[in-house]
Amino acid sequence: MKNLLQTGGLLLFLLCHHLVIHAQNTTTIQGKVTDAKSGAPLPGVTVSVKGKSTGAQTDGQGSYKLQVPAGGNTLVFSFIGYLSQEQPINGRSSVDIQLAEDLKKLEEVVVVGYGAQKKKDVTGAIASINARSIQEVSVTNPQQALQGRVAGIDVLINSNKPGDEPRVRVRGNRSITAGNDPLYIVDGIPYAGNLNDINPSDIASMDVLKDASATAIYGSRGANGVILVTTQRGKSSSPVRVTYNADYGIIKALGESDMMDATQYTNMRREANRAIGKYNDNNPDSSDAAVFNATEYANIKRGVNTDWQKLLLSSGWQTSHNLGVSGGSEKTKYAASLGYFKQQGVFKLQSYERYNIHLNLDQEISKRVRAGVSLLGTYSKRRGETYNGMSAALKMLPIADPYDANGNLIILPTGDSQQPNALLDYVPGNRVEDRTRFRLFTSLYGEVDIIDGLKYRLNVGPDIQQSNYGLFQGKNNTDLLIGGGDATAQKTNYTTLAYTVENLLTYNKVIHQKHNIGVTALYSVQRQREDSNNASVRGIPVEAQQFYNLDEAGNVTALGSQLGTWTILSYMGRINYGFDDRYLVTLTLRADGSSRFAPGKQWGYFPSVALAWNMTNENFMKSVTWLDNLKLRASYGKIGNTGIPPYATQGSLLRSPYSYNNKGVLGYIPNQLRNPNLTWETTSSVNAGFDFSVFKGRVTGSVDWYRQKTSDLLLNKLLPISNGFGSVLVNVGETQNSGVEIALSTAIIQNPNGFNWNMDVNFFTNREKILSLGNGAKSDPGNAWFIGEPITVYYDYQKVGIWQTEAEAQVYQQHQGEIRLNDVNNDKKLDANDRVILGSQQPDWSGGMTQRFSWKGIDLSIVAFARIGGMVKSDFYQNYNTLFGRYNNLDVNYWTPSNPTNDFPRPNRNQERPNNYTSLSYFDGSFFKIRNIGVGYNLPESLMKRWGMQALRVHADVKQPLIIAPYRQKYKGIDPEDVTTISVDAPATWMLQFGLNATF
């Protein structure tokens, strides 16, 4: 024991001695960093010791504190958007500095694809949002962060199911049948599939390439725009920084569909029978007994009035947690994070859960050699992706009682075999639907400086995806109760292996301080292999097995497997030339060879040219002091769209059973006519615009005009039936898009010691139209394609009211109380010649606005966007407005002899749907939404010092608190935001969320 005490005492002495020596060899430096112009404190400034890894970051009040080794040292202050500054310590213990803002911000770097450029050198139409903007609103996937924030980018949430992705369009639709989704590039590597796999907190910036000059470097896949996603990376000479962000929100449906209650429904059903002479108002009780079955009649007498939406909908919730670590020395930079997200939908059977891991590492191996890796790993589980509880809820009759006297669910609450109890799906085990996904997306690079200005870079991007889907429906599931039969199950698995290899050679040189030359050469290959299989069975003997033991089922109803592979080989060259920071030229040519096309048609060539003029650098502009920056831009180029799946040019066979020698055998017949002449859809694009900054950076922005023409559309050409095929896929037809985009950023009020107000606004229009359909055709009414009209239009009969008299209606073989249509050609009959183009989903204009307010430690942000004009089609008014009586109905103002309205037709028991019912489905699609209101508070610096933290912010957000739309306020709909049709599915929601952001 004595020896142990002596040893412990010696260790204690050595530790104290080390601490004393260390304290003698270091000194504490503290200070404050402020804006040179406004005097406002600058949080997040990196303060490092030159030549050493020691450093810190300023807190919310611009203050910093760090230990500096003894001796002559120099502090380096750096912050994005400001000029870096070095300050020798010279024995001081306090160093306060002011950082000068680069007013023109021309030195900021913009990701342009296969590299980056300073803003002053950019010739294309590029828009960017940073991490602050992404995290400013509550989003579940990266695309949602773009909604209302970038001019020319249309992001529509067309599904409210947990785990669904929005639809994204960059400058409208170009293709009629091929895809219109943009190409996503993550950390330099093409990213296919589900962007839900990426945690928005891991994103540092998103850059949208819009014109041909910017997208031509991606050749055959750039026609629909390119979105570059850059993930968080570490910083050089930065201390270890630990962040933790957590949120929790309550989700509620925005409202219920306005269905009929018990009284309204019974009156409608009586009227439906009254219309056909089967309801006697002189003897209503006897008539009710005849109109309603025994169960329904008894429930009416008992006063049953069930709100099925309330029974099926409940409060959902959402939570996220993100833990991140970043930092770096002069040679090593690192960033790592773990993320967890879960959303429980307002239907109990729907949820989405995701686990994320993110790692970025950049290493300087020597002065000439660098290497790095970016890794994104995801595991997710989604439940109930095809479950449609809303459809079941809306069909159920309000006079149906879901429970018996003992509280048990009644399987057929009205005795109607087509209306099983919608709550049966909530019974554990009756319906199980799961999809699990695993993805590992990696970007590795190595970079070598060959000689001064000449650099070689190798990018390698392996991508592994694996998905398992299973659906089990027990015999008491509502779908099977309607269709009949034993329990069913299906299972689908797919595995995707992809890789990208890019060889980049870049040369950058400044000659005589006036000639800026940049050359990029690329050779790359991308390959993807997808292997999938599926099986469906009926007759699961033990329902607890669900979809995990398919081989014990009584019948195999479907079995299949597929393999799809494709390869793209590419060459690209780009030349950037700038003279005296005034005149800029960018020339690009990319050649893509795709295995999707037949030999002889596999290669496409995509050139572009762009010019820019920095007018403010001209001598004659020096006297214009209020204008900080004015750059004119113009570009032209061609870009492509692969447009077809693998093997589309080879045709396909279909298995066909037939009898041979009185035996059943299988044969194969041609299923799809092959066309070896298929090639790319090609878009020619011209863009003109300018970027500006005025009043010392108080107002900045850009204006763009563009026109795009897409030719060689991939369309199915109709063939005579005698040919044996109904159609063949060919390159034919043209479309055109044109539009205007305006983006503004303003600092309205700047008060470093008080109130601040900043605003971002964007406005854009897009006009798309079909120029030709081939063979001289002016229209294709069957597909609703018309020359001179947008790609998607609503082509139907036009409702002009309700027939008020039988005499008027009989002229058109109609009846009083039915829908009155517009006789367009006034020939006293209604036929196909009376169909007209009612409208299009294309809005007159769209725009967004972000308002930011701050006062001392309090901040407030409001994000809004609008789509004005355009038309939507509502399935609610088409599928749940039958006025038939078998199912519940939307609460509409229908015609009766005592209520001669022109709104909706008379209920009729003999019509399963009203005649010409589709004409009831079209509405004004305009809306204005406040997407998010967020308020936060940064705790005081003094408290943070006591707690040993850099910063702590608490916040509250309200997601989608306000929608102003005719469809909602006038027509009692819920949310008009959809692509083409407002579907009957998971309802739109709003959310109240609370969270915190901690930095250590």
Side-chain angles (χ1 to χ4, degrees):
M1 179 63 72
K2 182 178 179 181
N3 291 335
L4 184 60
L5 290 174
Q6 289 176 341
T7 303
L10 179 60
L11 290 174
L12 181 61
F13 170 78
L14 291 174
L15 177 60
C16 294
H17 179 71
H18 172 75
L19 293 175
V20 170
I21 296 298
H22 178 74
Q24 291 175 346
N25 291 331
T26 62
T27 182
T28 300
I29 303 295
Q30 59 185 2
K32 192 168 187 176
V33 183
T34 55
D35 184 289
K37 180 176 64 176
S38 65
L42 293 177
V45 176
T46 298
V47 186
S48 59
V49 180
K50 188 175 182 179
K52 298 180 173 59
S53 60
T54 305
Q57 284 190 324
T58 58
D59 58 21
Q61 284 68 42
S63 300
Y64 71 92
K65 184 177 181 179
L66 76 161
Q67 297 292 322
V68 177
N73 290 295
T74 298
L75 296 182
V76 180
F77 299 84
S78 59
F79 191 47
I80 294 175
Y82 288 78
L83 298 175
S84 296
Q85 189 175 143
E86 295 184 3
Q87 280 284 327
I89 297 177
N90 293 335
R92 291 179 290 175
S93 61
S94 178
V95 179
D96 297 333
I97 72 156
Q98 292 183 327
L99 286 185
E101 183 183 4
D102 183 0
L103 293 176
K104 297 181 182 179
K105 298 183 179 178
L106 298 180
E107 301 302 316
E108 287 185 19
V109 171
V110 177
V111 180
V112 295
Y114 301 115
Q117 284 183 309
K118 295 178 181 179
K119 273 191 174 182
K120 67 177 183 179
D121 298 328
V122 172
T123 57
I126 301 177
S128 304
I129 64 170
N130 55 24
R132 176 189 176 187
S133 298
I134 295 170
Q135 297 170 15
E136 203 166 35
V137 295
S138 175
V139 298
T140 59
N141 57 59
Q143 300 105 310
Q144 291 175 353
L146 295 169
Q147 190 179 56
R149 319 296 282 281
V150 179
I153 312 302
D154 206 3
V155 181
L156 289 181
I157 312 299
N158 57 346
S159 171
N160 294 284
K161 292 180 178 179
D164 268 353
E165 286 191 285
R167 188 205 73 167
V168 180
R169 293 292 180 266
V170 179
R171 293 184 167 180
N173 299 295
R174 282 158 286 276
S175 179
I176 294 180
T177 59
N180 282 293
D181 293 326
L183 171 67
Y184 295 96
I185 306 292
V186 178
D187 288 335
I189 301 297
Y191 189 95
N194 200 327
L195 239 65
N196 272 343
D197 292 338
I198 299 179
N199 182 355
S201 295
D202 291 333
I203 297 176
S205 67
M206 298 175 71
D207 298 87
V208 183
L209 313 184
K210 296 186 286 187
D211 71 335
S213 170
T215 62
I217 54 174
Y218 293 103
S220 62
R221 293 167 295 170
N224 299 321
V226 180
I227 298 179
L228 307 176
V229 179
T230 303
T231 60
Q232 300 279 3
R233 309 190 86 89
K235 298 178 181 179
S236 296
S237 302
S238 175
V240 177
R241 184 171 182 259
V242 179
T243 60
Y244 173 68
N245 302 318
D247 300 287
Y248 181 83
I250 301 296
I251 301 173
K252 297 277 191 180
L254 269 173
E256 291 186 9
S257 295
D258 187 19
M259 305 300 290
M260 293 180 175
D261 61 20
T263 300
Q264 293 164 336
Y265 169 76
T266 53
N267 287 337
M268 183 270 292
R269 187 156 164 182
R270 289 165 182 154
E271 183 63 30
N273 285 273
R274 188 180 291 116
I276 61 173
K278 290 190 176 181
Y279 193 88
N280 185 0
D281 288 296
N282 294 322
N283 193 351
D285 194 62
S286 174
S287 295
D288 281 348
V291 167
F292 300 94
N293 66 34
T295 301
E296 296 169 339
Y297 183 73
N299 286 345
I300 293 172
K301 290 296 185 181
R302 291 195 298 116
V304 172
N305 187 13
T306 304
D307 187 337
W308 288 91
Q309 292 181 79
K310 275 190 170 60
L311 291 176
L312 285 167
L313 291 169
S314 57
S315 294
W317 53 269
Q318 177 178 303
T319 187
S320 66
H321 300 268
N322 296 282
L323 178 65
V325 180
S326 63
S329 62
E330 286 190 1
K331 293 188 176 182
T332 304
K333 298 183 293 183
Y334 60 88
S337 69
L338 296 173
Y340 173 76
F341 172 85
K342 183 169 185 181
Q343 183 183 76
Q344 171 61 53
V346 293
F347 286 121
K348 294 178 182 178
L349 295 182
Q350 292 178 337
S351 66
Y352 177 71
E353 188 173 21
R354 180 182 66 213
Y355 299 84
N356 290 95
I357 182 171
H358 167 236
L359 174 65
N360 263 326
L361 179 64
D362 299 284
Q363 179 65 46
E364 183 180 319
I365 299 173
S366 69
K367 289 184 178 181
R368 291 184 174 273
V369 181
R370 294 165 295 280
V373 60
S374 174
L375 182 148
L376 293 167
T378 305
Y379 173 81
S380 63
K381 183 173 184 179
R382 186 179 182 191
R383 297 172 58 242
E385 67 180 72
T386 66
Y387 171 67
N388 192 342
M390 182 57 69
S391 177
L394 300 188
K395 285 181 178 179
M396 298 300 299
L397 301 186
I399 58 174
D401 197 337
Y403 301 100
D404 62 19
N406 298 318
N408 298 315
L409 290 175
I410 302 172
I411 293 179
L412 298 174
T414 63
D416 188 339
S417 63
Q418 296 300 300
Q419 292 189 69
N421 194 326
L423 293 172
L424 288 169
D425 288 338
Y426 282 0
V427 174
N430 269 359
R431 179 187 174 92
V432 180
E433 183 180 24
D434 293 338
R435 180 184 296 276
T436 59
R437 279 176 52 83
F438 167 78
R439 185 168 193 172
L440 190 62
F441 180 86
T442 309
S443 172
L444 305 101
Y445 77 89
E447 200 170 66
V448 179
D449 294 334
I450 301 174
I451 58 174
D452 183 30
L454 182 63
K455 183 188 302 180
Y456 168 75
R457 181 181 175 109
L458 172 67
N459 295 325
V460 180
D463 184 12
I464 303 172
Q465 300 179 59
Q466 203 278 330
S467 173
N468 293 316
Y469 171 81
L471 172 62
F472 169 78
Q473 294 177 293
K475 62 182 180 181
N476 282 330
N477 172 264
T478 55
D479 289 342
L480 292 186
L481 286 169
I482 293 175
D486 297 325
T488 65
Q490 58 178 286
K491 199 167 181 65
T492 302
N493 303 309
Y494 79 78
T495 301
T496 300
L497 301 175
Y499 67 83
T500 301
V501 178
E502 298 177 337
N503 295 272
L504 277 164
L505 201 61
T506 59
Y507 179 74
N508 292 282
K509 193 72 172 178
V510 178
I511 302 174
H512 300 309
Q513 298 182 340
K514 284 198 173 184
H515 303 277
N516 193 332
I517 300 173
V519 180
T520 303
L522 166 78
Y523 166 71
S524 76
V525 60
Q526 184 181 0
R527 184 173 177 82
Q528 179 170 303
R529 181 183 192 274
E530 183 174 314
D531 180 8
S532 63
N533 58 78
N534 64 280
S536 299
V537 299
R538 181 179 291 275
I540 305 292
V542 180
E543 291 198 355
Q545 294 175 341
Q546 298 177 4
F547 43 74
Y548 295 107
N549 203 356
L550 300 186
D551 61 316
E552 293 193 3
N555 296 291
V556 176
T557 56
L559 188 65
S561 61
Q562 273 191 325
L563 174 67
T565 63
W566 55 265
T567 304
I568 292 181
L569 180 65
S570 304
Y571 301 89
M572 187 273 291
R574 178 174 63 196
I575 299 174
N576 294 99
Y577 172 73
F579 175 73
D580 199 24
D581 280 343
R582 290 183 291 164
Y583 311 113
L584 307 169
V585 180
T586 300
L587 302 173
T588 305
L589 176 63
R590 177 159 177 150
D592 280 333
S594 174
S595 65
R596 298 172 191 252
F597 299 104
K601 298 290 183 179
Q602 292 177 325
W603 284 92
Y605 301 91
F606 307 98
S608 77
V609 58
L611 306 172
W613 178 23
N614 279 316
M615 286 184 62
T616 41
N617 290 338
E618 298 287 354
N619 290 328
F620 63 82
M621 295 292 293
K622 300 299 183 183
S623 60
V624 186
T625 56
W626 56 270
L627 182 63
D628 311 318
N629 177 43
L630 179 61
K631 179 172 66 177
L632 306 184
R633 296 177 281 102
S635 66
Y636 173 81
K638 290 187 176 182
I639 36 184
N641 187 348
T642 49
I644 61 172
Y647 321 124
T649 61
Q650 300 179 19
S652 63
L653 296 177
L654 178 68
R655 189 175 68 177
S656 177
Y658 67 100
S659 175
Y660 180 76
N661 242 2
N662 293 323
K663 293 182 180 180
V665 294
L666 295 175
Y668 294 88
I669 59 175
N671 180 48
Q672 180 180 345
L673 190 63
R674 67 187 299 266
N675 181 2
N677 295 316
L678 287 178
T679 187
W680 327 86
E681 290 188 350
T682 302
T683 299
S684 301
S685 174
V686 61
N687 189 100
F690 61 90
D691 307 319
F692 66 92
S693 174
V694 297
F695 307 128
K696 304 300 182 184
R698 295 289 292 271
V699 180
T700 61
S702 63
V703 177
D704 281 274
W705 171 88
Y706 64 88
R707 175 167 290 172
Q708 302 169 329
K709 182 179 178 181
T710 302
S711 56
D712 293 329
L713 298 178
L714 290 160
L715 294 176
N716 279 304
K717 178 182 178 181
L718 296 179
L719 299 175
I721 297 299
S722 58
N723 208 25
F725 296 90
S727 64
V728 60
L729 188 63
V730 297
N731 289 106
V732 64
E734 294 178 329
T735 62
Q736 177 182 286
N737 278 62
S738 60
V740 174
E741 300 167 353
I742 301 173
L744 295 173
S745 294
T746 63
I748 300 173
I749 298 176
Q750 287 185 316
N751 185 346
N753 299 313
F755 182 70
N756 294 274
W757 178 14
N758 295 275
M759 180 171 63
D760 296 336
V761 179
N762 67 80
F763 166 92
F764 60 97
T765 65
N766 180 74
R767 297 289 177 266
E768 62 184 48
K769 62 181 178 180
I770 299 173
L771 297 181
S772 72
L773 291 169
N775 298 328
K778 295 194 183 246
S779 65
D780 183 349
N783 288 305
W785 298 333
F786 301 92
I787 303 299
E789 297 293 337
I791 292 172
T792 301
V793 297
Y794 300 108
Y795 182 64
D796 205 341
Y797 296 101
Q798 183 180 27
K799 173 181 171 288
V800 293
I802 304 296
W803 290 114
Q804 299 298 326
T805 67
E806 186 68 16
E808 289 179 305
Q810 278 297 308
V811 175
Y812 293 90
Q813 289 79 52
Q814 303 287 303
H815 295 284
Q816 181 187 31
E818 293 184 342
I819 297 172
R820 180 174 183 170
L821 302 178
N822 186 18
D823 181 5
V824 176
N825 55 14
N826 201 28
D827 62 355
K828 303 305 179 184
K829 63 180 181 181
L830 296 171
D831 54 27
N833 294 322
D834 294 305
R835 290 190 296 170
V836 295
I837 297 173
L838 300 174
S840 165
Q841 68 178 32
Q842 178 178 269
D844 296 332
W845 62 270
S846 303
M849 177 175 60
T850 301
Q851 304 267 11
R852 299 182 182 94
F853 308 91
S854 63
W855 182 70
K856 297 186 177 180
I858 302 172
D859 60 84
L860 170 68
S861 66
I862 303 173
V863 180
F865 79 108
R867 282 169 56 95
I868 305 302
M871 180 177 279
V872 293
K873 187 173 186 289
S874 172
D875 273 352
F876 285 87
Y877 280 86
Q878 179 168 307
N879 298 337
Y880 297 90
N881 193 31
T882 61
L883 295 168
F884 170 53
R886 184 170 192 175
Y887 306 108
N888 198 9
N889 205 92
L890 289 172
D891 180 20
V892 297
N893 181 28
Y894 54 81
W895 189 96
T896 68
S898 60
N899 181 43
T901 179
N902 277 298
D903 291 347
F904 291 91
R906 186 180 191 180
N908 191 317
R909 184 68 175 176
N910 283 346
Q911 295 177 344
E912 190 170 346
R913 297 177 186 270
N915 289 335
N916 304 304
Y917 65 94
T918 60
S919 64
L920 301 172
S921 309
Y922 305 103
F923 300 91
D924 183 353
S926 301
F927 65 81
F928 168 82
K929 281 189 177 187
I930 294 183
R931 281 194 59 202
N932 198 86
I933 299 177
V935 61
Y937 176 65
N938 292 283
L939 274 66
E941 177 187 4
S942 57
L943 187 59
M944 293 298 93
K945 288 181 178 179
R946 289 204 301 270
W947 289 359
M949 300 177 63
Q950 286 192 30
L952 177 63
R953 178 178 179 267
V954 294
H955 63 90
D957 300 85
V958 182
K959 179 181 179 182
Q960 200 158 249
L962 176 67
I963 302 176
I964 300 175
Y967 180 71
R968 181 173 173 85
Q969 276 80 29
K970 184 177 180 180
Y971 299 108
K972 300 190 291 187
I974 297 178
D975 187 357
E977 183 183 348
D978 215 318
V979 180
T980 54
T981 301
I982 299 174
S983 59
V984 180
D985 214 323
T989 59
W990 68 276
M991 180 174 66
L992 176 62
Q993 178 177 270
F994 300 92
L996 61 86
N997 311 107
T999 305
F1000 301 87

